[in-house]
Amino acid sequence: MSLTVYNTQTRQKEAFQPLEDNKVKMYVCGPTVYNLVHIGNARPVVVFDTLFRVLQSEYDEVIYARNITDIDDKIMKAAAENGEPISQLAARYAEEFEADMDQLNNLRPTIVPYATDHVPNMIDMVQRLVDKGHAYEAEGHVLFAVQSMADYGKLSNRSLEDMLDGARVEVAPYKKYAGDFVLWKPSSEDEPGWESPWGYGRPGWHLECSAMIEAHLGETIDIHGGGRDLVFPHHENEVAQSCCAHDGKEYVRYWMHNGYINIGGEKMSKSLGNFRTVRELLGEYKGEVIRCALLSAQYRSEMDFSVDLLEETKSRLDSFYAALRDVKDVESVEVDVKDQAFYKALLDDLNTPIALGELRDIARDLNKADEADKPRLKSLLLKGGELMGLLQQDAESWFTETAGDEGISAEEIEALIAERQQSKLDKNYARADEIREELKAQGVVLEDSREGTKWRRE
């Protein structure tokens, strides 16, 4: 079975075939770094990190680029409000973003290009578009002429009229057509900018991804990913810029977009005030719980993100880690996962809910297995977890470490367990029961067995 993906442009699942044998080039739109990222920003990172892992198991070379937008009007506004340089604010929040994504068990991409490092590339691309008749200068701006491209709108499957009706289009007297979009705009003396053939200014948002892809991955890439909200206008305009700059050459072979996250049945947004930052959630839940929750729905579907989902996910991971804890002394073995149901689910357009269900069955079988089968089942569970960025923590640590910095320490728990054991030896059963209840009130559950007392946090 080979990898199949849903291609947004063709609106169907297709067998994936990279342009070059055994080499995959993938680009995913990264964050605009002006604040801490919310859980909606984390979904594409987790989704395409999982795809990155699967691709690495299938192909010898996978180049994964995810950009950082470090010049933008939102960044300028936040820096002005904070009274700090734009570069300083952007660098700080880029670092915070990477720290949060590390906590969600995301691998670092192969390439992390920053927009401000590629302004010369952007200027060059704009000049080519002007020279080819696809862009024009007007009052210090350079705009892409959408009517110059015969199939503009093919990605989002919209006509020019539909796109104007469905988008907030800036009305400007210097535009030849209302749908034309900005490639370059002027900056005032107190705003960040670069010298260009059209004066001191800065690039439009859509331009940066086209320029960075060209610089690092070439004119045609295999996969371009991002959230569904980017299909139009951002990705539509990327297609226009890149195809026209490259004389109609194919830009992206497979477009992949993840669905929205809803909170309380409504699409999450800052205007509604119903968004949660990843940092805030990490103070309450382990990063692996958040990651697994994001993978509990198929990536293209909308998902409801809630406390109930996080609690259900924690219980699911507890059951996996409990199975692994019971076989901690069993040596892992080499296993081939290519014929496993969880692997086939991942190859089927990244069907992570089915894959997680298959891992649940392996964990169940591991709990009931005889000694001869335990090494293989343990190894399959670990390998399946690795492909989804899960189950790589020490099982004992999973149950004893807390999310954030709160809660009774492991040392204090061990001391109380030792006191409880001594109380039992002294036949002071009332104190032993009191300690159990005391720990339970602090979210610590004791599990007595012939081998001794284990504990876990609820």
Side-chain angles (χ1 to χ4, degrees), residues 7-25:
N7 190 342
T8 303
Q9 185 160 294
T10 61
R11 286 157 188 78
Q12 63 184 7
K13 285 205 293 189
E14 300 176 0
F16 175 73
Q17 183 63 46
L19 185 64
E20 300 177 54
D21 287 342
N22 239 347
K23 180 178 181 179
V24 180
K25 294 185 288 186

Side-chain angles (χ1 to χ4, degrees), residues 144-181:
F144 184 90
V146 297
Q147 291 174 310
S148 73
M149 184 180 185
D151 55 358
Y152 180 77
K154 64 181 179 181
L155 176 61
S156 55
N157 197 29
R158 302 183 185 189
S159 67
L160 286 176
E161 291 73 21
D162 289 341
M163 285 185 276
L164 286 179
D165 289 341
R168 286 174 284 181
V169 174
E170 180 189 0
V171 177
Y174 49 78
K175 286 186 177 184
K176 292 181 179 179
Y177 177 73
D180 294 347
F181 61 88

